[in-house]
Amino acid sequence: MRHFAVIGSGPAGFYTAEALAKAYGDAARIDIIEKFPVPYGLIRFGVAPDHQSLKAVSRRYDKVAEDANVRFVGNVAVGDAVSIAELQSLYDAVILATGAPDDRKLGIEGELLPGVVGSAEFVGWYNGHPCFADLSPPLDGKYAAVIGNGNVALDCARILSKNHHEFEGSDIVGHALEALDRSAVRTITIVGRRGPHQISMTPKELGELGHLEAATPVVEGDDFPPVEADDALEPGHRKSINILRDFAATGPDGSKARRIVFDFFARPVRIEGNGRAERLIVERTELDESGSARGTGETYEVPASLIVTSIGYHTPPIAGVPYDERGGKFANDGGVIGDGLYCVGWARRGPSGTIGTNRPDGQEVAELIAAALPPGGSSAKAGGVGLDALLAERGIRATSFDDWRSIESAETAAARPGSPREKLIRHADWLKVLGRS
Ligand code: NAP
């Protein structure tokens, strides 16, 4: 028998567990260890609440968790409740699937002013992440800005733009919906330091901006290179640029109360305000020979009392695990960190790619493990039994997948009409459902 510990229950963790379960069958036991009492990581706390079709992938993960050789072990924070060294002494291989939940910083003056929030915080706030439930982003001003030209920036801008009933069918948490209902925000500026050709936005997500009930996209035709330049683009990317060109050609719909303004070639320089963010100062840029943004020296201000920085994420380091500071992820070679220690997903590659990208990633690492520890072999490691003993010694009560089912039922029962669930947010609320408060 082999024993594996996968740390983190987001997409990368589940795909890796799935691949290991397939490779080893009954010859291995796999524990998916999660710091929260509830599973799914990015699916629960990151994917936009109005993108339920993406969240439905968790049904596939349920099948993995229901495999007799796989166990969900929630409420156990690795690096705190139990160390990596302890896990390595208990399991044949430890696979870090801890994602990249922390915001990268802009590193400009004024970034710490109230009103400036990272996208992980903002997304966590509307998605019921316990650390950000009290964020209370200021929505009392007319202007907001989102910095970054990726899909997360689009998510943030879209959520800020929607009317109450456009959230029907979503699982946005009640506190965020109420706050957004009262929002005074009318203009959301999406600030990109480069141009339309350099966006990292995908067609479906960009196209949604053209179908919002109360908001209209505003794009300047002058920002684009000649249309012939689009020929060199990869087809999916060209589709995104076409959508932007259409927005520019059609012009904003003046009947809509909110505007989503694309401000390209604008590099954030500093944030100003009297005790809170009031404006973002940007420098006009142009592309240099390598395609990077080069400042022109011309600056101007973008009014914004809420500024969401959406410029990427990093993986939090774990004591004793080699870390790549520059990449913001674990130092690894194709998923291998060291003897018996691996990483997958964003903790391996950095924060890029879709949910599905994590599947081949997990499979690849499972194959590496199977090559190093051929199925059929056995070890003297204590595995899950040893972990349970350690946790019992420390008075830590883990949650099981059945416990999650109970929490999920409570969330479904509490759902407002038209919503699949009302998420429980606090640790105490999760444990209360389990009769452990
Ligand atoms: P991203 O796609 O890497 O975009 C980050 C953006 O931040 C880029 O436009 C980048 O500009 C900009 N940026 C970085 N540093 C900056 C700085 N100092 N100043 C100004 N701008 C800066 O990251 P993301 O939006 O966080 O998305 C992460 C991953 O999740 C992506 O693969 C994304 O596609 C995926 N995702 C998918 C969906 C979906 O499929 N619905 C939804 C959300 C996220 P430069 O290009 O100039 O560096």
Side-chain angles (χ1 to χ4, degrees):
M1 181 64 66
R2 297 290 187 187
H3 300 281
F4 301 122
V6 175
I7 318 305
S9 66
F14 267 104
Y15 286 126
T16 306
E18 182 180 45
L20 285 170
K22 194 164 171 220
Y24 284 85
D26 289 337
R29 297 281 183 275
I30 301 146
D31 281 352
I32 303 175
I33 304 175
E34 164 62 54
K35 70 174 170 179
F36 292 120
V38 297
Y40 308 138
L42 183 88
I43 303 296
R44 181 176 172 98
F45 297 123
V47 171
D50 56 345
H51 282 172
Q52 286 297 307
S53 58
L54 287 178
K55 292 200 179 218
V57 73
S58 65
R59 297 293 151 241
R60 178 185 180 129
Y61 307 156
D62 290 354
K63 298 254 175 329
V64 178
E66 284 157 3
D67 185 313
N69 298 314
V70 177
R71 211 167 58 129
F72 172 75
V73 185
N75 203 30
V76 176
V78 171
D80 184 7
V82 53
S83 71
I84 291 288
E86 285 168 333
L87 291 176
Q88 286 193 280
S89 73
L90 294 171
Y91 294 88
D92 293 292
V94 174
I95 303 104
L96 302 176
T98 47
D102 292 354
D103 284 302
R104 282 190 54 221
K105 294 286 172 209
L106 271 172
I108 61 172
E109 193 186 324
E111 195 171 5
L112 296 180
L113 280 172
V116 185
V117 300
S119 55
E121 299 173 291
F122 186 62
V123 169
W125 169 72
Y126 60 64
N127 254 334
H129 190 297
C131 298
F132 308 120
D134 297 324
L135 184 73
S136 190
L139 299 169
D140 54 336
K142 208 173 150 200
Y143 297 96
V146 182
I147 300 173
N149 269 179
N151 278 331
V152 174
L154 280 182
D155 281 347
C156 295
R158 189 182 67 256
I159 296 294
L160 282 167
S161 308
K162 281 195 165 182
N163 273 347
H164 183 99
H165 78 89
E166 290 178 281
F167 286 108
E168 258 167 41
S170 84
D171 65 349
I172 190 168
V173 292
H175 67 229
L177 188 58
E178 279 168 28
L180 288 165
D181 277 350
R182 294 191 304 269
S183 169
V185 173
R186 292 293 173 268
T187 299
I188 301 124
T189 305
I190 300 182
V191 179
R193 62 180 170 181
R194 300 191 289 158
H197 267 204
Q198 287 73 39
I199 57 167
S200 304
M201 298 164 168
T202 44
K204 181 180 160 288
E205 285 62 30
L206 205 46
E208 282 178 85
L209 299 195
H211 303 285
L212 296 171
E213 192 179 272
T216 182
V218 184
V219 178
E220 282 296 332
D222 289 349
D223 284 332
F224 291 82
V227 73
E228 300 77 49
D230 293 7
D231 294 347
L233 300 174
E234 174 273 318
H237 195 52
R238 197 182 315 134
K239 219 169 166 183
S240 292
I241 309 308
N242 279 340
I243 292 169
L244 275 180
R245 285 192 188 275
D246 284 349
F247 289 161
T250 314
D253 178 344
S255 69
K256 298 193 174 172
R258 293 193 172 114
R259 300 176 341 131
I260 301 172
V261 179
F262 284 81
D263 196 352
F264 291 113
F265 299 110
R267 174 161 68 196
V269 174
R270 67 181 175 279
I271 294 161
E272 293 179 348
N274 190 5
R276 59 177 280 188
E278 288 172 14
R279 69 197 80 87
L280 169 68
I281 309 299
V282 296
E283 179 182 18
R284 176 67 64 217
T285 65
E286 57 192 15
L287 295 179
D288 68 12
E289 304 66 35
S290 66
S292 298
R294 173 171 58 203
T296 62
E298 181 202 340
T299 58
Y300 60 97
E301 60 180 66
V302 177
S305 48
L306 167 66
I307 298 177
V308 183
T309 61
S310 180
I311 60 165
Y313 302 111
H314 63 83
T315 299
I318 298 180
V321 180
Y323 192 73
D324 166 3
E325 287 288 345
R326 220 180 126 78
K329 55 190 175 141
F330 296 118
N332 73 93
D333 182 5
V336 181
I337 300 176
D339 196 20
L341 187 59
Y342 300 82
C343 56
V344 290
W346 282 8
R348 167 188 175 183
R349 309 186 313 273
S352 68
T354 62
I355 292 162
T357 314
N358 295 298
R359 191 164 169 239
D361 189 308
Q363 279 169 344
E364 195 182 323
V365 168
E367 279 164 23
L368 288 176
I369 294 170
L373 301 166
S378 67
S379 74
K381 303 270 183 172
V385 174
L387 177 68
D388 292 350
L390 199 64
L391 295 178
E393 225 172 74
R394 293 175 185 173
I396 296 165
R397 271 185 85 183
T399 53
S400 65
F401 201 67
D402 283 345
D403 289 335
W404 155 241
R405 290 292 201 202
S406 303
I407 294 169
E408 189 182 34
S409 298
E411 291 185 339
T412 310
R416 57 184 179 274
S419 170
R421 68 189 70 80
E422 185 62 52
K423 282 183 195 163
L424 293 172
I425 297 167
R426 315 273 172 188
H427 213 86
D429 293 336
W430 288 323
L431 298 187
K432 197 168 157 195
V433 171
L434 306 177
R436 295 191 196 171
S437 46

